[in-house]
Amino acid sequence: MANFDSYLKQLQQWRIGLGVIFSITLLRLLGISASLEFLAFDRFLGFLQSSKTEPVSEQITLVSLDQDFLDRLADDPGNSLRQEKIPEASLKELLQELLRHEPAVMGLDIVSERISPTDEQQLSQIINQNPEIVTVEKILSPPVPPLKNLSVQAQQAQIAANDFPVDWDGTVRRSFLILEKEEGFRESLSLRLANIYLEDQKNIELDNGLIDSETIRFHPKSHDGLTESKDIPTLIEVPRLRANSGAYHRENDIYGLQTLLNFRRSAQDGLQTLLHFRRSAQESSVFPIISASSVLQNDVKPELLNDRILIIGITAPSLASYSLTPLEISQFSEISSQAVGIELQAHATSQLISAVLDKRPLLNSFSTPVEYLWIISVGLFGIGVGRLSTSTARNLLSLGGMLLLLLMIGLATMYFWGWWLPIAPCFLVLSINGVAYIAYYQNERSWKSLIDERDRVISERDLALMDRDRAMNDLKSERSATIETAINEIHNGPLQTLALLIRRSQSPHIEAAELQGGLQTLDHEIRRLGEDLSQAAMASKISLRLGNGQRLDASLPLHELLYSVFDNTLNRNFPGLRTLRLTLRDFEPYPGDLTPELKRDIGHFIEEAICNVGKHAIDATQLEALGQVSEQSYSLIVRDNSAPAANHPLILHKGKGTQQAENLAHQLKGNFNRKPHRPSGVVCELSWPLSHS
Amino acid sequence: MPNDQIVRILVVDDHHTVVKGTAAFLQNHYSDAQIETASTVEETLTAFQTSPPNLLILDLSLPQEPEAEARPEHGIALLKQLMEQYPELNIAIQSTYVKTLVRVLHEIDDHEGGFTTFDKGLPETEVFKRVNSALDGFSYTREIKGKHPSIQLKPTWLKVIKLAFEEGLQDRAIAKELSVQESTVRHYWKKIYDILEIDPTDERQDGKNLRIRTQIRARERGLID
């Protein structure tokens, strides 16, 4: 029951902390904490981005239709280019030129809207003839259909979706793998490119996920074509972004198959980027860039094209569309956190290929229950911080350390394994609960010390009251003793004289002189009485106050005091004393001096010893109380012949009386002991050397 | 009762009437006796200077000197002094403060002369008995102690009883056993009569053997088997 109570008390103490955990969990469930979580995510990515470099991509090259290229098209008078569209002919020429270098696969990331068609259908022809060219359509609203006049085969295998899902804050943090269409599915351009590249160049196949059947995985092709695909070990299973994954609580567009974007890092670290001219540094730091113009002029390094994934798209500011990225990744844009389409495609493709070939981690998040478990346990840690030590400063330092550790864990898991922990809510519960409970326990400690102080004051007051009561009792008994003395003295003095005078006055022979003398005596006696009484009231003598109320003057010789104590105590009404038939008592005079205080305490010792017989002795018929002088010492012995009691309370336990006796023995530099007496009874002895004075 | 010389009795009381009354009462019983009186501690000590009386009848409440205040402490201090100086002095205490004597029990126990106490309110015959006992060297001290029914005694006296009645030793043998004078043993017996509440004068008058009576009483009270 006590356990349950303390448990309940604990729970009560924790209610604030549990409330905080609950509130933050609720905030998260409602998606209110998402911006904070995105912020944390972006910062983490940024930190990782600047902390480690990656070599320039060896698989992907960007072919940019830059402003220079577009301007030249516009200048050509034979060209029917309208400002917003690119003629099929120039694209065909570009593709043909690129094909000459035998790339692994080409992604033409230009939607049909941006291409001005010709009657000759030059573009669709070249696409139909070259299966390594992949074109795009836009599926999300507003949709843009694929190129017309593609062969059935090309329609199935060479069209991919170039959409990117945009978060509610307008930022691209994830990419599609597969999109749902009205009829069937469409692979994203990045997946398509990665798939073709891996299959053709590395003999690696795309398949359904094994652990999570709704996602995809890559595995080596079976050599014989007979092995069941599920028996082939996975190279990588792409983590699927679920609704409610990470901070995606508010997003209602987690459809199709999506994964988070782990942007490819620059080949130059932050310092180098700062030192070099920024633009030129960026141009070749992540993906190699070749302008369409230089391709057409055959001014290219063939190794940047051969066996590579080429992603072709518009980068000219006048026609390009930009997307916000959490990181400053853009190699084209003036504002480097705004990326053009082919850059996003390149990063999305690159992360798949690197994951398969280099085991580069893809970003992943825990399932929702595990995330909440994290938040709750971190919140509980926060409650505990206040109890780590009694120093508030040290606790705050510990809290700081724990917050730092939390960040480190978050970074490390992201860096090494790509796991995205709910760092922001954890940080929040830990700091709120930590600070709250450091304050709470600090407060409780100061309360406790206040209460302790109060208890101390109360007990001191109680002691003082007890002292006062005792003093008042002493005063009362002193007063009654004084009154008694007064009555006795009146009785024995003036009253006797008065009685004599009355008797004498009845005699006929009374003489006036005799009467006068008698009256003078009476006057004298009464005056004397008054003086004596006031003197007695003033005198402060150390006295021994016995349990029956009797007071003894502690300045009397020790043995006289002991006889009085013995007689007074023996006549008290104790059961163990009533059965006594024989008492042997002999207190020899003490051959030395003792202070009244010591004599008082010795008197109390004898009283206590006899009271103990009275209280504890069973069927005792004989009591001995002796004070004996030997050569070197004086011993006081109290012995009874009670029935043998193996479990005599006083022999088993040290009571307050025993303690006092031991103290007294210590003061007298002597010994005290109490032990069973053979053949029966208990003997209690206090002895001390006579040299003590 | 010594017959060969005049018996001197000293009556000490601070009240003239009491002194006079007591003196008259004593003269009545002991016609040959020489009755002296004193009313202060000083007077008493002066009276002792020539030679001690055969019997001291003492009131405990005494003034130190004339006109001074009477206090039991003065009487007790005087008593202690006299008992120490004259161990064989016969003393009868006439007082309302008999119980205050409990603190000098050790000295009373050791006192070899007669020692009796009586309250001032006792009837005359009883007073005479106590005074006579004291004069005969016997003790009557039971009123000093509280009302506890047990027999209270010194360990030595119990030894005397056991040696006499359990081992059948004569006083001389007992004295030898205890390494004391034979007279001391006789003095012990007087104390034993007192604590066993045997009145030697009565018993003798009744023609009983005192020792046998004592043995019976000691057995009754469980002092011997």
Side-chain angles (χ1 to χ4, degrees):
Chain A
M1 206 55 200
N3 241 351
F4 179 75
D5 281 350
S6 69
Y7 187 73
L8 208 70
K9 192 168 168 265
Q10 189 94 52
L11 212 67
Q12 232 171 15
Q13 270 183 7
W14 286 13
R15 66 183 188 277
I16 307 166
L18 296 176
V20 169
I21 294 172
F22 177 78
S23 316
I24 285 174
T25 310
L26 196 72
L27 281 182
R28 191 165 195 261
L29 280 170
L30 293 173
I32 294 169
S33 67
S35 55
L36 210 61
E37 294 198 45
F38 279 150
L39 185 72
F41 178 72
D42 295 350
R43 283 290 147 83
F44 269 44
L45 274 184
F47 186 79
L48 294 185
Q49 199 77 25
S50 59
S51 68
K52 196 189 177 192
T53 59
E54 275 182 297
V56 178
S57 175
E58 289 174 5
Q59 287 99 22
I60 297 171
T61 300
L62 301 178
V63 179
S64 81
L65 276 58
D66 52 17
Q67 198 61 48
D68 189 37
F69 177 75
L70 291 191
D71 290 348
R72 210 174 300 172
L73 286 181
D75 292 345
D76 191 346
N79 211 316
S80 62
L81 175 90
R82 279 184 283 154
Q83 195 58 38
E84 307 241 319
K85 295 195 178 187
I86 299 163
E88 267 190 41
S90 9
L91 284 178
K92 180 198 161 196
E93 195 187 350
L94 180 63
L95 289 178
Q96 275 175 333
E97 195 57 37
L98 290 171
L99 279 168
R100 220 165 46 79
H101 293 281
E102 296 183 340
V105 60
M106 286 195 287
L108 183 61
D109 185 20
I110 303 173
V111 289
S112 59
E113 266 184 355
R114 294 267 176 238
I115 301 170
S116 56
T118 57
D119 296 338
E120 293 90 10
Q121 303 166 5
Q122 292 164 320
L123 197 54
S124 47
Q125 268 179 18
I126 197 170
I127 290 167
N128 288 337
Q129 287 160 10
N130 295 286
E132 64 266 42
I133 301 176
V134 181
T135 61
V136 297
E137 65 171 330
K138 191 172 178 301
I139 291 174
L140 298 184
S141 179
V144 181
L147 284 170
K148 294 190 179 77
N149 306 316
L150 291 179
S151 67
V152 176
Q153 197 193 349
Q155 274 181 20
Q156 281 177 351
Q158 288 169 261
I159 302 176
N162 78 339
D163 297 86
F164 273 89
V166 180
D167 290 335
W168 57 272
D169 60 350
T171 307
V172 175
R173 294 188 180 84
R174 50 201 162 118
S175 71
F176 281 114
L177 295 168
I178 293 169
L179 279 86
E180 292 161 29
K181 280 182 70 177
E182 279 172 26
E183 67 289 347
F185 301 93
R186 181 71 81 199
E187 281 179 32
S188 69
L189 180 61
S190 52
L191 179 61
R192 195 81 268 254
L193 294 175
N195 188 12
I196 294 171
Y197 177 82
L198 289 171
E199 197 161 348
D200 292 354
Q201 304 284 316
K202 310 287 177 185
N203 235 9
I204 290 168
E205 266 188 336
L206 185 64
D207 203 344
N208 284 327
L210 270 187
I211 299 165
D212 177 4
S213 63
E214 287 184 42
T215 188
I216 53 164
R217 66 175 182 132
F218 290 96
H219 62 72
K221 268 185 186 166
S222 69
H223 296 294
D224 46 15
L226 294 174
T227 318
E228 287 269 352
S229 70
K230 66 176 168 56
D231 295 332
I232 303 168
T234 304
L235 286 167
I236 184 78
E237 188 161 307
V238 182
R240 174 168 61 101
L241 187 72
R242 295 162 221 249
N244 287 329
S245 276
Y248 289 99
H249 310 287
R250 235 162 71 162
E251 305 298 314
N252 44 19
D253 62 347
I254 311 296
Y255 47 81
L257 184 59
Q258 305 183 10
T259 194
L260 288 165
L261 270 174
N262 191 2
F263 293 94
R264 190 175 181 87
R265 292 188 275 275
S266 167
Q268 293 174 332
D269 62 25
L271 192 65
Q272 283 173 307
T273 313
L274 272 179
L275 290 174
H276 288 77
F277 177 52
R278 185 180 168 146
R279 187 93 190 154
S280 67
Q282 279 184 335
E283 269 173 1
S284 58
S285 63
V286 185
F287 300 106
I289 300 168
I290 297 173
S291 75
S293 312
S294 54
V295 174
L296 291 174
Q297 288 158 16
N298 201 15
D299 178 21
V300 291
K301 294 176 184 164
E303 67 269 22
L304 289 180
L305 300 174
N306 183 241
D307 283 345
R308 283 195 173 230
I309 300 168
L310 306 181
I311 303 176
I312 306 145
I314 302 167
T315 62
S318 60
L319 280 185
S321 62
Y322 294 96
S323 300
L324 280 177
T325 52
L327 303 173
E328 299 187 342
I329 54 155
S330 180
Q331 295 170 272
F332 298 98
S333 170
E334 286 291 340
I335 303 162
S336 53
S337 62
Q338 291 182 354
V340 295
I342 55 170
E343 284 181 300
L344 291 179
Q345 300 294 358
H347 279 281
T349 311
S350 172
Q351 77 164 354
L352 291 175
I353 290 168
S354 296
V356 173
L357 298 180
D358 308 329
K359 299 279 173 214
R360 183 179 183 273
L362 288 164
L363 293 181
N364 197 2
S365 58
F366 286 101
S367 67
T368 309
V370 177
E371 283 191 337
Y372 283 106
L373 207 67
W374 253 95
I375 295 170
I376 290 167
S377 35
V378 168
L380 293 177
F381 261 105
I383 294 176
V385 174
R387 286 195 151 173
L388 284 180
S389 93
T390 52
S391 150
T392 303
R394 200 173 302 164
N395 281 341
L396 281 172
L397 212 66
S398 306
L399 178 64
M402 282 171 81
L403 288 170
L404 205 67
L405 186 70
L406 183 70
L407 294 182
M408 303 283 275
I409 290 173
L411 274 173
T413 49
M414 199 178 217
Y415 186 91
F416 291 109
W417 302 285
W419 288 103
W420 176 19
L421 295 174
I423 291 299
C426 286
F427 197 88
L428 219 57
V429 284
L430 183 57
S431 47
I432 294 178
N433 274 354
V435 169
Y437 276 87
I438 286 170
Y440 176 85
Y441 286 119
Q442 163 69 23
N443 204 19
E444 197 180 52
R445 275 192 295 275
S446 47
W447 259 112
K448 199 174 174 300
S449 67
L450 271 179
I451 288 171
D452 286 351
E453 176 63 17
R454 190 199 62 177
D455 288 350
R456 198 180 60 75
V457 169
I458 287 176
S459 72
E460 267 178 12
R461 194 200 58 186
D462 287 352
L463 278 177
L465 281 176
M466 269 169 60
D467 278 353
R468 200 197 59 180
D469 286 353
R470 201 173 303 143
M472 278 175 70
N473 274 335
D474 283 2
L475 201 66
K476 231 194 264 173
S477 63
E478 201 151 343
R479 203 176 293 151
S480 71
T482 310
I483 290 169
E484 207 172 304
T485 317
I487 290 170
N488 278 336
E489 291 185 358
I490 291 167
H491 183 79
N492 291 310
L495 275 183
Q496 303 258 10
T497 312
L498 197 60
L500 183 74
L501 277 173
I502 291 167
R503 203 159 58 220
R504 289 295 297 144
S505 68
Q506 287 162 353
S507 156
H509 311 296
I510 181 80
E511 288 171 21
E514 192 189 341
L515 197 62
Q516 202 177 0
L519 286 172
Q520 269 170 0
T521 310
L522 192 62
D523 172 68
H524 186 79
E525 279 175 346
I526 292 172
R527 280 172 197 282
R528 173 73 52 87
L529 193 65
E531 282 166 23
D532 279 1
L533 284 179
S534 52
Q535 248 173 28
M538 297 294 286
S540 62
K541 283 190 279 187
I542 290 179
S543 57
L544 165 59
R545 194 162 178 278
L546 295 176
N548 63 354
Q550 181 80 32
R551 287 171 78 88
L552 303 172
D553 180 0
S555 63
L556 290 174
L558 180 66
H559 72 286
E560 293 190 17
L561 211 53
L562 293 179
Y563 271 102
S564 296
V565 172
F566 178 81
D567 189 65
N568 272 295
T569 311
L570 186 67
N571 283 290
R572 286 174 71 181
N573 191 20
F574 283 121
L577 297 177
R578 268 175 295 197
T579 55
L580 293 175
R581 300 182 69 192
L582 179 62
T583 50
L584 296 169
R585 46 108 195 94
D586 188 11
F587 300 107
E588 292 178 21
Y590 184 75
D593 290 325
L594 288 170
T595 63
E597 287 86 354
L598 277 175
K599 285 190 280 190
R600 175 193 59 199
D601 292 348
I602 295 167
H604 276 309
F605 164 77
I606 284 291
E607 183 188 26
E608 168 89 11
I610 297 165
C611 284
N612 281 337
V613 174
K615 285 185 261 186
H616 303 293
I618 299 159
D619 295 338
T621 58
Q622 188 172 325
L623 173 69
E624 283 176 87
L626 307 171
Q628 293 170 331
V629 184
S630 72
E631 275 177 38
Q632 307 292 331
S633 63
Y634 193 86
S635 350
L636 282 169
I637 298 163
V638 174
R639 190 156 44 201
D640 67 66
N641 69 339
S642 58
N647 53 352
H648 192 288
L650 288 176
I651 288 174
L652 289 178
H653 306 293
K654 281 190 176 180
K656 189 162 159 287
T658 311
Q659 243 173 43
Q660 283 171 346
E662 279 169 357
N663 285 346
L664 178 59
H666 182 71
Q667 281 185 55
L668 291 164
K669 299 185 177 70
N671 294 306
F672 163 74
N673 66 65
R674 181 189 281 120
K675 53 181 191 265
H677 176 53
R678 306 283 169 224
S680 64
V682 174
V683 60
C684 165
E685 180 173 355
L686 174 71
S687 61
W688 66 94
L690 287 177
S691 57
H692 182 93
S693 60
Chain B
M1 187 170 159
N3 295 318
D4 50 342
Q5 61 185 90
I6 300 166
V7 173
R8 276 180 63 216
I9 300 176
L10 178 60
V11 180
V12 182
D13 199 306
D14 65 326
H15 287 100
H16 294 286
T17 38
V18 180
V19 171
K20 279 180 184 168
T22 310
F25 158 78
L26 288 171
Q27 203 69 68
N28 201 16
H29 281 85
Y30 306 100
S31 47
D32 299 338
Q34 181 189 331
I35 314 291
E36 296 165 22
T37 62
S39 55
T40 67
V41 172
E42 281 180 355
E43 278 176 36
T44 312
L45 290 174
T46 315
F48 266 80
Q49 259 167 11
T50 45
S51 66
N54 300 93
L55 174 66
L56 169 69
I57 296 178
L58 181 67
D59 180 6
L60 290 179
S61 183
L62 280 182
Q64 197 68 29
E65 57 204 28
E67 311 289 300
E69 187 214 0
R71 284 178 163 279
E73 289 80 57
H74 300 323
I76 288 177
L78 174 66
L79 175 66
K80 278 162 69 181
Q81 186 186 344
L82 293 177
M83 285 199 292
E84 197 184 343
Q85 278 181 347
Y86 311 100
E88 293 181 358
L89 176 68
N90 296 320
I91 302 165
I93 304 291
Q94 170 188 235
S95 176
T96 40
Y97 301 105
V98 168
K99 290 225 183 301
T100 55
L101 287 173
V102 76
R103 64 181 232 221
V104 281
L105 263 180
H106 187 262
E107 287 75 12
I108 296 169
D109 280 351
D110 283 356
H111 189 63
E112 297 188 357
F115 195 101
T116 65
T117 66
F118 59 93
D119 194 277
K120 283 180 175 172
L122 276 184
E124 266 191 27
T125 49
E126 195 58 35
V127 171
F128 176 68
K129 253 165 87 180
R130 302 275 169 89
V131 171
N132 208 31
S133 280
L135 200 51
D136 283 345
F138 291 113
S139 283
Y140 189 95
T141 60
R142 60 202 78 149
E143 284 168 357
I144 298 172
K145 299 159 202 161
K147 293 192 167 59
H148 194 272
S150 69
I151 303 267
Q152 282 183 42
L153 72 175
K154 287 181 70 152
T156 326
W157 304 348
L158 184 64
K159 217 173 269 175
V160 171
I161 293 171
K162 295 204 168 192
L163 287 172
F165 302 132
E166 287 181 350
E167 311 204 357
L169 297 187
Q170 295 288 323
D171 283 2
R172 181 171 302 184
I174 295 172
K176 207 174 163 193
E177 191 78 21
L178 297 177
S179 319
V180 292
Q181 298 287 316
E182 203 181 326
S183 64
T184 310
V185 176
R186 278 200 297 278
H187 146 70
Y188 287 160
W189 280 117
K190 290 176 181 170
K191 300 291 182 183
I192 291 165
Y193 301 150
D194 180 25
I195 53 124
L196 288 175
E197 298 176 15
I198 293 164
D199 190 333
T201 339
D202 286 358
E203 303 289 337
R204 273 186 194 148
Q205 278 169 2
D206 295 348
K208 288 174 186 162
N209 183 311
L210 207 50
R211 288 286 168 93
I212 290 172
R213 186 81 194 91
T214 308
Q215 187 175 8
I216 293 166
R217 186 65 68 87
R219 190 163 285 125
E220 276 173 9
R221 304 298 299 265
L223 268 58
I224 49 172
D225 300 326

